[in-house]
């Protein structure tokens, strides 16, 4: 059974498009509310809720994260950059897990995997601090053997394989096959090293048919496609449909 972590950032994107400056003052008029969204998603079968508190606060706000921490019944996964300020925030918040991601101010969404090799000391410090606090750390990495190996050496219990390159190559047969092989070999290598393997980025209702066959998948983190589908079908149907496709 593959679990679904629902990334609700884009519910907040929609809210911020209208209420950027009013977010803290207008109360119930500010919609759509990411916390209500998360609670509905849980009711429909989401196994966890993921949010990315970005440095520029372009979608999820700190207040959302604290409200989620108090309200949701499943698991809260906080995506964050590997900085001292975010580490301090996570230690106060105490999410169930954190996922360390690279963050570049100009990017539209997370573009590449975290380079654990270049940022070894920073990542190690953050993983150690989270482990000491009882918070599981996931490292969002490209399916590169050296990145996987070092992630295991640093003691992170989980990795999240970046599926973005595969998703982008989906309609280019040879490239897609190559990216899928990288993911499959990466997942197998990671399991062999004792890592729990999650995956995410660019997963949709079409490419899930192949991605779900990756070996030993624990959880998929999916955001944009489910939030987009929810506009047409409603959130509960969008979540149910994805879960059925993940575990037919
Ligand atoms: N996993 C990680 C680490 C991400 O940064 C994102 C995007 O915020 C996702 C999963 C979800 O990607 P998508 O919105 O394309 O489903």
């Amino acid at each position: 059974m593959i679990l679904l972590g629902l990334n609700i950032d884009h519910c907040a994107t929609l809210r911020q498009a209208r209420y950027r400056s009013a977010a803290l003052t207008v109360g119930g008029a500010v919609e759509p509310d990411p916390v209500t969204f998360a609670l509905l998603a849980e009711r429909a079968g989401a196994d966890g809720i993921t949010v990315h508190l970005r440095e520029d606060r372009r979608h999820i706000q700190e207040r959302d994260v604290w409200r989620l921490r108090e309200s949701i019944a499943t698991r809260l996964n906080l995506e964050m950059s590997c900085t001292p300020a975010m580490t301090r925030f996570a230690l106060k918040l105490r999410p169930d897990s954190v996922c360390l991601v690279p963050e570049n101010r100009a990017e539209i969404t997370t573009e590449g995997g975290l380079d654990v090799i270049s940022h070894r000391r920073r990542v190690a410090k953050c993983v150690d601090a989270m482990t000491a606090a009882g918070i599981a750390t996931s490292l969002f990495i490209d399916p590169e053997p050296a990145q996987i190996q070092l992630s295991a050496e640093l003691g992170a219990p989980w990795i999240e394989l970046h599926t973005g390159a595969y998703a982008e190559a989906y309609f280019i047969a040879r490239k897609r096959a190559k990216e899928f092989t990288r993911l499959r070999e990466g997942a197998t290598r990671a399991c062999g090293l004792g890592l729990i393997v999650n995956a995410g980025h660019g997963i949709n209702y079409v490419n899930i048919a192949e991605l779900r066959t990756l070996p030993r998948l624990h959880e998929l983190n999916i955001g944009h496609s489910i939030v987009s589908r929810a506009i047409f079908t409603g959130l509960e149907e969008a979540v149910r449909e994805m879960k059925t496709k993940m575990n037919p």
Side-chain angles (χ1 to χ4, degrees):
M1 178 85 173
I2 305 168
L3 303 178
L4 171 64
L6 182 67
N7 182 315
I8 64 168
D9 292 348
H10 292 307
C11 175
T13 300
L14 193 54
R15 177 193 60 192
Q16 296 305 100
R18 172 58 59 94
Y19 291 111
R20 185 167 297 279
S21 56
L24 296 177
T25 53
V26 190
V30 176
E31 58 186 5
D33 175 29
V35 178
T36 308
F37 197 80
L39 296 176
L40 279 174
E42 286 186 325
R43 203 164 76 186
D47 301 291
I49 301 297
T50 294
V51 286
H52 185 176
L53 185 64
R54 295 186 71 103
E55 194 189 339
D56 62 11
R57 305 294 194 262
R58 72 175 70 154
H59 38 55
I60 291 290
Q61 308 295 305
E62 279 184 36
R63 183 163 168 269
D64 297 324
V65 188
W66 285 107
R67 287 175 62 224
L68 286 165
R69 176 68 296 183
E70 281 177 11
S71 320
I72 65 171
T74 56
R75 286 176 294 109
L76 179 61
N77 177 41
L78 178 69
E79 275 181 25
M80 58 180 238
S81 59
C82 188
T83 61
M86 279 312 303
T87 303
R88 282 194 298 277
F89 178 80
L91 290 173
K92 267 194 270 164
L93 177 75
R94 304 188 76 85
D96 298 280
S97 56
V98 295
C99 179
L100 301 186
V101 298
E103 206 175 287
N104 161 6
R105 270 176 186 273
E107 69 191 1
I108 291 173
T109 180
T110 315
E111 279 167 3
L114 179 69
D115 184 350
V116 180
I117 297 167
S118 304
H119 302 290
R120 180 186 180 128
R121 281 187 50 189
R122 264 199 310 149
V123 175
K125 227 171 151 180
C126 190
V127 172
D128 289 348
M130 294 303 149
T131 305
I135 301 167
T137 308
S138 178
L139 302 178
F140 181 55
I141 56 173
D142 291 321
E144 294 295 330
Q147 299 285 350
I148 295 168
Q149 179 71 38
L150 185 56
S151 299
E153 284 170 24
L154 295 184
W158 301 354
I159 56 165
E160 180 171 327
L161 291 177
H162 192 321
T163 48
Y166 167 86
E168 267 179 35
Y170 191 78
F171 294 105
I172 311 164
R174 199 166 331 143
K175 213 169 160 200
R176 165 178 160 191
K178 188 172 143 227
E179 292 298 337
F180 190 74
T181 302
R182 284 177 76 214
L183 287 166
R184 196 182 53 229
E185 290 176 358
T188 305
R189 180 183 297 270
C191 281
L193 292 166
L195 289 160
I196 290 179
V197 180
N198 300 331
H201 205 91
I203 302 176
N204 60 36
Y205 292 82
V206 176
N207 63 28
I208 185 63
E210 186 170 51
L211 280 174
R212 63 169 289 281
T213 67
L214 285 172
R216 314 287 289 272
L217 270 183
H218 175 68
E219 182 166 85
L220 294 176
N221 274 303
I222 308 178
H224 187 268
S225 65
I226 295 179
V227 176
S228 303
R229 178 69 59 105
I231 292 172
F232 298 111
T233 66
L235 178 60
E236 297 199 30
E237 178 56 29
V239 169
R240 271 193 219 109
E241 195 181 338
M242 182 58 86
K243 281 212 74 171
T244 306
K245 286 183 184 293
M246 286 165 59
N247 300 290

